[in-house]
Amino acid sequence: MTYSRNAIYTTIVNAIRAEFPNTYCASRLVAKPSSFPACLIHEIDRNRPVQYTQIDFEDNQWESTYEIQVVRAKANTAATEAYNIMDVARKAFSDLYYREFSETNIDNGDAFTIIGRFRRVIGGGDTMPTT
């Protein structure tokens, strides 16, 4: 599998839905998900950092960063279910060689949200592992 946003999104969503079939998934942020639990998965950055650029600027490396927000309506098991969904997403990202570098929890009283960010350096001709 070559790098593609659709392939990465589909891989993550398939992993989540295999464990939690009723999870609403979207590839963009929405103000209020149509159902809960919800996973909002999108690429937040894809750049070519200076530290990976060769002196002739001819290389093909960049850094890809994804954010996933797991939102669960407030209930007795909201946090537990959100963490379980995030664990599945973390494993799926890890299988694609992405590493988590940030995680934030938000409890606003109505919903419990976990925001995770995953990053990977992708080189020219690099392929993603098949899962």
Side-chain angles (χ1 to χ4, degrees):
M1 173 172 85
T2 58
Y3 172 81
S4 120
R5 289 183 187 134
N6 289 339
I8 292 169
Y9 173 79
T10 301
T11 300
I12 303 304
V13 168
N14 288 343
I16 291 169
R17 287 194 176 146
E19 297 279 332
F20 301 94
N22 296 326
T23 302
Y24 168 80
C25 294
S27 60
R28 64 187 188 287
L29 293 179
V30 293
K32 184 173 181 181
S34 60
S35 65
F36 294 100
C39 291
L40 311 172
I41 306 163
H42 62 285
E43 189 171 38
I44 58 173
D45 194 15
R46 186 171 67 164
N47 65 357
R48 196 165 127 166
V50 174
Q51 69 264 28
Y52 302 122
T53 305
Q54 296 175 1
I55 198 163
D56 59 4
F57 296 101
E58 292 299 317
D59 64 335
N60 235 359
Q61 294 182 334
W62 68 89
E63 195 171 73
S64 171
T65 306
Y66 275 83
E67 178 180 274
I68 178 171
Q69 293 186 17
V70 178
V71 184
R72 180 66 174 91
K74 198 66 171 174
N76 293 340
T77 61
T80 302
E81 186 175 22
Y83 278 114
N84 290 342
I85 293 170
M86 183 59 85
D87 287 343
V88 171
R90 187 178 294 116
K91 169 76 169 90
F93 272 113
S94 179
D95 290 346
L96 295 172
Y97 303 134
Y98 280 81
R99 297 295 172 250
E100 185 174 25
F101 69 92
S102 170
E103 186 175 294
T104 305
N105 303 322
I106 301 169
D107 186 351
N108 67 5
D110 293 331
F112 183 80
T113 305
I114 302 173
I115 302 170
R117 293 193 172 133
F118 300 83
R119 180 183 296 143
R120 176 183 188 221
V121 174
I122 299 172
D126 199 3
T127 57
M128 307 298 274
T130 56
T131 55

